[in-house]
């Protein structure tokens, strides 16, 4: 993937949060089917280095139902 800065490398050592939002979006683009894209987006949320910016992942989806499904998943993970 992309060159990782020092802060992110340290975070990766301490947690499983090793992917940035941009990296997750690029991986999602590799999937042909929206179901697989959504599954990976959900998987990626728990491994995201910058989850406060995860709303940007919504731009990877064409349909509002997929965006809503991802947002609902994030809310459930955050106890909302």
């Amino acid at each position: 993937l992309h060159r990782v800065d020092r802060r992110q490398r340290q975070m990766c050592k301490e947690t499983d949060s090793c992917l940035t939002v941009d990296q997750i979006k690029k991986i999602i683009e590799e999937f042909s089917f929206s179901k697989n894209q959504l599954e990976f987006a959900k998987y990626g949320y728990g491994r995201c280095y910058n989850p406060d910016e995860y709303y940007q992942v919504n731009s990877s989806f064409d349909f509002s139902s997929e965006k809503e499904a991802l947002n609902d998943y994030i809310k459930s993970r955050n106890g909302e």
Side-chain angles (χ1 to χ4, degrees), residues 13-79:
K13 289 179 184 177
E14 296 170 5
T15 68
D16 290 333
S17 304
C18 294
L19 295 171
T20 66
V21 165
D22 288 336
Q23 291 169 329
I24 290 167
K25 287 172 59 178
K26 287 183 192 249
I27 294 169
I28 287 171
E29 291 174 5
E30 298 299 317
F31 291 98
S32 301
F33 300 105
S34 59
K35 177 183 176 188
N36 299 61
Q37 291 173 331
L38 182 59
E39 286 178 16
F40 184 79
K42 290 177 179 179
Y43 171 84
Y45 181 73
R47 286 145 187 87
C48 184
Y49 171 72
N50 52 339
D52 291 342
E53 298 177 21
Y54 214 75
Y55 67 90
Q56 296 176 30
V57 174
N58 281 334
S59 67
S60 299
F61 299 106
D62 295 324
F63 301 106
S64 59
S65 59
E66 296 161 339
K67 295 174 185 180
E68 288 175 23
L70 179 59
N71 290 336
D72 289 345
Y73 174 79
I74 291 169
K75 287 178 184 175
S76 72
R77 288 283 310 260
N78 293 331

Side-chain angles (χ1 to χ4, degrees), residues 1-16:
L1 297 171
H2 291 281
R3 185 175 159 255
V4 185
D5 67 25
R6 200 168 113 206
R7 182 174 164 211
Q8 187 176 3
R9 283 195 304 264
Q10 184 62 34
M11 180 75 125
C12 287
K13 289 179 184 177
E14 296 170 5
T15 68
D16 290 333

